[in-house]
Amino acid sequence: MASRYAGKVVEKEIDRQQAKVLPSFQKLVARNNVLEGYVEQHKLLEASNTTPTDFESQMQAIAESESIDEYLILEHSEER
């Protein structure tokens, strides 16, 4: 009887973890991925001596005729 009760307690704890704890960890991982993306973007901007505001201005300055379905396709080019 005691082992049956203990089994139900363990089962409830596993259910609680699946319902509460695992989604919390998934959210933390997602937030970390976003943060890493921001850090990499800023590293690229820093490498090109561009501030985020300057980059935004440059993107706005590109003519709409350069966009494809309202998206800009950017590629790295070597300055010579």
Side-chain angles (χ1 to χ4, degrees), residues 11 16 21-22 25-26 30 34 44 52 56 58 69 79:
E11 186 177 318
R16 182 191 73 79
V21 176
L22 290 178
F25 283 137
Q26 290 169 336
V34 170
L44 288 171
E56 180 89 15
Q58 292 170 8
D69 294 329
E79 290 186 26

Side-chain angles (χ1 to χ4, degrees), residues 35 49 77:
L35 179 61
N49 294 321
S77 65

